Amino acid sequence: MTDCIFCKIANKEIGKLVYEDDTVVAFDDLNPQAPVHVLVIPKKHIARISDIRDGEDANLVGHIMVVAGKIAAERGIADDGYRVVANCNEGAGQSVWHIHFHLLGGRNLGWPPG
Ligand code: AMP
């Protein structure tokens, strides 16, 4: 999608990646909510969580979880604990229409979230 900001980041037109493989990239959030706040996204444009289909997309999301875990270990937050969260649609706080998984850690994270 030419007008999608996260597609532009995934294509390395803007921003700076902290991780890349064939299907997934990750980058630091512009407005971090914790000492570690990384967004892990598929290169494939999928607008929202509810658009994820079984099969290829489901494998992709599983892979994203593995990547998030690796980044958490690299950033030194794996043992203390971290959160991976994705917001679906406006009511849950989604503001960018390319699925992204927030990896948060480095402080105590309250539950339930707001
Ligand atoms: P959400 O509200 O769940 O859709 O999350 C969108 C996230 O993307 C927010 O945490 C924003 O701070 C972040 N964000 C928006 N634009 C950029 C950007 N250009 N680079 C990095 N993070 C961004």
Side-chain angles (χ1 to χ4, degrees):
M1 286 251 312
T2 51
D3 60 345
C4 169
I5 191 151
F6 283 4
C7 282
K8 287 185 175 137
I9 292 173
N11 290 333
K12 292 183 267 192
E13 293 167 43
I14 57 168
K16 179 174 173 274
L17 301 180
V18 299
Y19 175 89
E20 180 178 19
D21 64 27
D22 288 347
T23 56
V24 167
V25 300
F27 47 94
D28 288 316
D29 196 289
L30 202 59
N31 182 24
Q33 301 301 311
V36 175
H37 188 172
V38 175
L39 299 177
V40 190
I41 72 167
K43 289 182 175 177
K44 176 181 177 181
H45 183 86
I46 301 171
R48 66 193 83 211
I49 295 294
S50 53
D51 291 329
I52 294 168
R53 296 289 166 253
D54 211 357
E56 183 192 320
D57 289 355
N59 287 337
L60 191 53
V61 172
H63 179 57
I64 284 172
M65 292 302 145
V66 173
V67 169
K70 283 183 184 166
I71 296 170
E74 281 170 15
R75 297 280 180 109
I77 58 170
D79 288 344
D80 278 351
Y82 62 92
R83 183 172 296 161
V84 180
V85 65
N87 300 319
C88 183
N89 287 339
E90 288 95 340
Q94 185 175 3
S95 61
V96 178
W97 302 97
H98 179 133
I99 60 167
H100 46 281
F101 294 80
H102 299 256
L103 166 63
L104 296 150
R107 66 168 171 82
N108 287 326
L109 299 167
W111 192 265

